[in-house]
Amino acid sequence: MATNQRIFNGFQVNRPLLTGGVVLTGIGSLLGAAGAAMVCAALLTAGRGWVRSLETPPAELAQRALSGAKAARSAGWEAWRAEHGSPN
């Protein structure tokens, strides 16, 4: 019984098998983390290349959209005021 340990009245744990499972699980976790890091690096590189290839930078597109939204808000406010009168 050098490799097995008795716990809870007859429940036996095969320590070499348990140790092997823990080691393999650790190795698998490390490999999975390394794979995830490689996928992230590949996607980040592809995304940077795509943004660089755009004719208009995303910041400029966002600024244009914000300007359009502000103009629409002002136009809507002015239309409402013209219809309902100026609030006091």
Side-chain angles (χ1 to χ4, degrees), residues 56-75:
T56 306
E60 187 177 330
L61 291 175
Q63 186 62 39
R64 288 182 191 173
L66 182 60
S67 297
K70 287 180 180 179
R73 180 195 65 196
S74 296

PDB file of all heavy atoms in Angstrom, residues 56-75:
ATOM      1  N   THR A  56      -9.635  56.270 -44.699  1.00  0.00           N
ATOM      2  CA  THR A  56      -9.953  57.243 -43.657  1.00  0.00           C
ATOM      3  C   THR A  56      -9.722  56.594 -42.301  1.00  0.00           C
ATOM      4  O   THR A  56     -10.271  55.526 -42.026  1.00  0.00           O
ATOM      5  CB  THR A  56     -11.425  57.691 -43.769  1.00  0.00           C
ATOM      6  OG1 THR A  56     -11.666  58.150 -45.100  1.00  0.00           O
ATOM      7  CG2 THR A  56     -11.731  58.808 -42.804  1.00  0.00           C
ATOM      8  N   PRO A  57      -8.930  57.225 -41.437  1.00  0.00           N
ATOM      9  CA  PRO A  57      -8.689  56.639 -40.113  1.00  0.00           C
ATOM     10  C   PRO A  57      -9.978  56.556 -39.289  1.00  0.00           C
ATOM     11  O   PRO A  57     -10.879  57.397 -39.436  1.00  0.00           O
ATOM     12  CB  PRO A  57      -7.703  57.610 -39.458  1.00  0.00           C
ATOM     13  CG  PRO A  57      -7.152  58.441 -40.559  1.00  0.00           C
ATOM     14  CD  PRO A  57      -8.177  58.455 -41.647  1.00  0.00           C
ATOM     15  N   PRO A  58     -10.087  55.551 -38.423  1.00  0.00           N
ATOM     16  CA  PRO A  58     -11.293  55.398 -37.611  1.00  0.00           C
ATOM     17  C   PRO A  58     -11.598  56.633 -36.745  1.00  0.00           C
ATOM     18  O   PRO A  58     -12.757  56.965 -36.537  1.00  0.00           O
ATOM     19  CB  PRO A  58     -10.991  54.175 -36.739  1.00  0.00           C
ATOM     20  CG  PRO A  58     -10.009  53.388 -37.525  1.00  0.00           C
ATOM     21  CD  PRO A  58      -9.190  54.405 -38.250  1.00  0.00           C
ATOM     22  N   ALA A  59     -10.572  57.314 -36.252  1.00  0.00           N
ATOM     23  CA  ALA A  59     -10.809  58.508 -35.421  1.00  0.00           C
ATOM     24  C   ALA A  59     -11.507  59.597 -36.234  1.00  0.00           C
ATOM     25  O   ALA A  59     -12.399  60.290 -35.726  1.00  0.00           O
ATOM     26  CB  ALA A  59      -9.489  59.017 -34.862  1.00  0.00           C
ATOM     27  N   GLU A  60     -11.115  59.744 -37.490  1.00  0.00           N
ATOM     28  CA  GLU A  60     -11.752  60.753 -38.339  1.00  0.00           C
ATOM     29  C   GLU A  60     -13.202  60.371 -38.646  1.00  0.00           C
ATOM     30  O   GLU A  60     -14.088  61.229 -38.655  1.00  0.00           O
ATOM     31  CB  GLU A  60     -10.959  60.916 -39.632  1.00  0.00           C
ATOM     32  CG  GLU A  60     -11.446  62.060 -40.503  1.00  0.00           C
ATOM     33  CD  GLU A  60     -10.596  62.250 -41.740  1.00  0.00           C
ATOM     34  OE1 GLU A  60      -9.389  61.948 -41.700  1.00  0.00           O
ATOM     35  OE2 GLU A  60     -11.161  62.718 -42.748  1.00  0.00           O
ATOM     36  N   LEU A  61     -13.443  59.091 -38.875  1.00  0.00           N
ATOM     37  CA  LEU A  61     -14.823  58.637 -39.108  1.00  0.00           C
ATOM     38  C   LEU A  61     -15.692  58.892 -37.878  1.00  0.00           C
ATOM     39  O   LEU A  61     -16.846  59.325 -37.994  1.00  0.00           O
ATOM     40  CB  LEU A  61     -14.841  57.153 -39.457  1.00  0.00           C
ATOM     41  CG  LEU A  61     -14.256  56.756 -40.812  1.00  0.00           C
ATOM     42  CD1 LEU A  61     -14.237  55.230 -40.951  1.00  0.00           C
ATOM     43  CD2 LEU A  61     -15.063  57.375 -41.935  1.00  0.00           C
ATOM     44  N   ALA A  62     -15.136  58.647 -36.704  1.00  0.00           N
ATOM     45  CA  ALA A  62     -15.891  58.880 -35.470  1.00  0.00           C
ATOM     46  C   ALA A  62     -16.170  60.371 -35.299  1.00  0.00           C
ATOM     47  O   ALA A  62     -17.263  60.757 -34.884  1.00  0.00           O
ATOM     48  CB  ALA A  62     -15.110  58.348 -34.275  1.00  0.00           C
ATOM     49  N   GLN A  63     -15.212  61.230 -35.624  1.00  0.00           N
ATOM     50  CA  GLN A  63     -15.411  62.673 -35.509  1.00  0.00           C
ATOM     51  C   GLN A  63     -16.489  63.145 -36.470  1.00  0.00           C
ATOM     52  O   GLN A  63     -17.325  63.970 -36.118  1.00  0.00           O
ATOM     53  CB  GLN A  63     -14.092  63.410 -35.792  1.00  0.00           C
ATOM     54  CG  GLN A  63     -14.166  64.898 -35.549  1.00  0.00           C
ATOM     55  CD  GLN A  63     -14.483  65.243 -34.104  1.00  0.00           C
ATOM     56  OE1 GLN A  63     -13.999  64.604 -33.181  1.00  0.00           O
ATOM     57  NE2 GLN A  63     -15.324  66.222 -33.912  1.00  0.00           N
ATOM     58  N   ARG A  64     -16.491  62.610 -37.680  1.00  0.00           N
ATOM     59  CA  ARG A  64     -17.543  62.958 -38.650  1.00  0.00           C
ATOM     60  C   ARG A  64     -18.918  62.529 -38.136  1.00  0.00           C
ATOM     61  O   ARG A  64     -19.897  63.273 -38.263  1.00  0.00           O
ATOM     62  CB  ARG A  64     -17.270  62.290 -39.989  1.00  0.00           C
ATOM     63  CG  ARG A  64     -16.132  62.885 -40.752  1.00  0.00           C
ATOM     64  CD  ARG A  64     -15.986  62.172 -42.083  1.00  0.00           C
ATOM     65  NE  ARG A  64     -14.748  62.528 -42.748  1.00  0.00           N
ATOM     66  CZ  ARG A  64     -14.310  61.961 -43.845  1.00  0.00           C
ATOM     67  NH1 ARG A  64     -14.994  60.980 -44.419  1.00  0.00           N
ATOM     68  NH2 ARG A  64     -13.176  62.336 -44.391  1.00  0.00           N
ATOM     69  N   ALA A  65     -19.003  61.340 -37.590  1.00  0.00           N
ATOM     70  CA  ALA A  65     -20.282  60.848 -37.069  1.00  0.00           C
ATOM     71  C   ALA A  65     -20.756  61.708 -35.904  1.00  0.00           C
ATOM     72  O   ALA A  65     -21.954  62.027 -35.796  1.00  0.00           O
ATOM     73  CB  ALA A  65     -20.157  59.393 -36.645  1.00  0.00           C
ATOM     74  N   LEU A  66     -19.838  62.101 -35.026  1.00  0.00           N
ATOM     75  CA  LEU A  66     -20.201  62.950 -33.901  1.00  0.00           C
ATOM     76  C   LEU A  66     -20.680  64.312 -34.380  1.00  0.00           C
ATOM     77  O   LEU A  66     -21.667  64.840 -33.868  1.00  0.00           O
ATOM     78  CB  LEU A  66     -19.006  63.107 -32.957  1.00  0.00           C
ATOM     79  CG  LEU A  66     -19.241  63.939 -31.699  1.00  0.00           C
ATOM     80  CD1 LEU A  66     -20.342  63.319 -30.846  1.00  0.00           C
ATOM     81  CD2 LEU A  66     -17.955  64.064 -30.906  1.00  0.00           C
ATOM     82  N   SER A  67     -20.001  64.879 -35.364  1.00  0.00           N
ATOM     83  CA  SER A  67     -20.432  66.170 -35.912  1.00  0.00           C
ATOM     84  C   SER A  67     -21.825  66.062 -36.521  1.00  0.00           C
ATOM     85  O   SER A  67     -22.673  66.948 -36.344  1.00  0.00           O
ATOM     86  CB  SER A  67     -19.441  66.655 -36.969  1.00  0.00           C
ATOM     87  OG  SER A  67     -18.182  66.887 -36.401  1.00  0.00           O
ATOM     88  N   GLY A  68     -22.074  64.969 -37.245  1.00  0.00           N
ATOM     89  CA  GLY A  68     -23.401  64.755 -37.825  1.00  0.00           C
ATOM     90  C   GLY A  68     -24.468  64.600 -36.759  1.00  0.00           C
ATOM     91  O   GLY A  68     -25.581  65.128 -36.892  1.00  0.00           O
ATOM     92  N   ALA A  69     -24.157  63.906 -35.681  1.00  0.00           N
ATOM     93  CA  ALA A  69     -25.119  63.729 -34.597  1.00  0.00           C
ATOM     94  C   ALA A  69     -25.419  65.055 -33.910  1.00  0.00           C
ATOM     95  O   ALA A  69     -26.571  65.339 -33.562  1.00  0.00           O
ATOM     96  CB  ALA A  69     -24.580  62.719 -33.585  1.00  0.00           C
ATOM     97  N   LYS A  70     -24.396  65.880 -33.723  1.00  0.00           N
ATOM     98  CA  LYS A  70     -24.611  67.199 -33.117  1.00  0.00           C
ATOM     99  C   LYS A  70     -25.476  68.073 -34.014  1.00  0.00           C
ATOM    100  O   LYS A  70     -26.356  68.791 -33.537  1.00  0.00           O
ATOM    101  CB  LYS A  70     -23.271  67.876 -32.844  1.00  0.00           C
ATOM    102  CG  LYS A  70     -22.523  67.279 -31.677  1.00  0.00           C
ATOM    103  CD  LYS A  70     -21.195  67.996 -31.462  1.00  0.00           C
ATOM    104  CE  LYS A  70     -20.431  67.401 -30.282  1.00  0.00           C
ATOM    105  NZ  LYS A  70     -19.136  68.071 -30.083  1.00  0.00           N
ATOM    106  N   ALA A  71     -25.228  68.029 -35.333  1.00  0.00           N
ATOM    107  CA  ALA A  71     -26.037  68.813 -36.271  1.00  0.00           C
ATOM    108  C   ALA A  71     -27.485  68.330 -36.259  1.00  0.00           C
ATOM    109  O   ALA A  71     -28.421  69.148 -36.278  1.00  0.00           O
ATOM    110  CB  ALA A  71     -25.446  68.707 -37.673  1.00  0.00           C
ATOM    111  N   ALA A  72     -27.692  67.020 -36.203  1.00  0.00           N
ATOM    112  CA  ALA A  72     -29.054  66.470 -36.159  1.00  0.00           C
ATOM    113  C   ALA A  72     -29.755  66.863 -34.874  1.00  0.00           C
ATOM    114  O   ALA A  72     -30.950  67.195 -34.873  1.00  0.00           O
ATOM    115  CB  ALA A  72     -29.003  64.951 -36.300  1.00  0.00           C
ATOM    116  N   ARG A  73     -29.017  66.854 -33.751  1.00  0.00           N
ATOM    117  CA  ARG A  73     -29.601  67.261 -32.483  1.00  0.00           C
ATOM    118  C   ARG A  73     -30.029  68.719 -32.535  1.00  0.00           C
ATOM    119  O   ARG A  73     -31.139  69.071 -32.129  1.00  0.00           O
ATOM    120  CB  ARG A  73     -28.596  67.063 -31.358  1.00  0.00           C
ATOM    121  CG  ARG A  73     -29.147  67.480 -29.991  1.00  0.00           C
ATOM    122  CD  ARG A  73     -28.064  67.628 -28.966  1.00  0.00           C
ATOM    123  NE  ARG A  73     -27.194  68.742 -29.370  1.00  0.00           N
ATOM    124  CZ  ARG A  73     -25.994  68.950 -28.878  1.00  0.00           C
ATOM    125  NH1 ARG A  73     -25.480  68.129 -28.005  1.00  0.00           N
ATOM    126  NH2 ARG A  73     -25.276  69.969 -29.284  1.00  0.00           N
ATOM    127  N   SER A  74     -29.182  69.580 -33.061  1.00  0.00           N
ATOM    128  CA  SER A  74     -29.510  70.999 -33.150  1.00  0.00           C
ATOM    129  C   SER A  74     -30.707  71.227 -34.068  1.00  0.00           C
ATOM    130  O   SER A  74     -31.597  72.025 -33.752  1.00  0.00           O
ATOM    131  CB  SER A  74     -28.305  71.790 -33.662  1.00  0.00           C
ATOM    132  OG  SER A  74     -27.248  71.719 -32.746  1.00  0.00           O
ATOM    133  N   ALA A  75     -30.731  70.534 -35.197  1.00  0.00           N
ATOM    134  CA  ALA A  75     -31.844  70.681 -36.126  1.00  0.00           C
ATOM    135  C   ALA A  75     -33.147  70.208 -35.488  1.00  0.00           C
ATOM    136  O   ALA A  75     -34.201  70.847 -35.638  1.00  0.00           O
ATOM    137  CB  ALA A  75     -31.561  69.903 -37.407  1.00  0.00           C
TER     138      ALA A  75
END
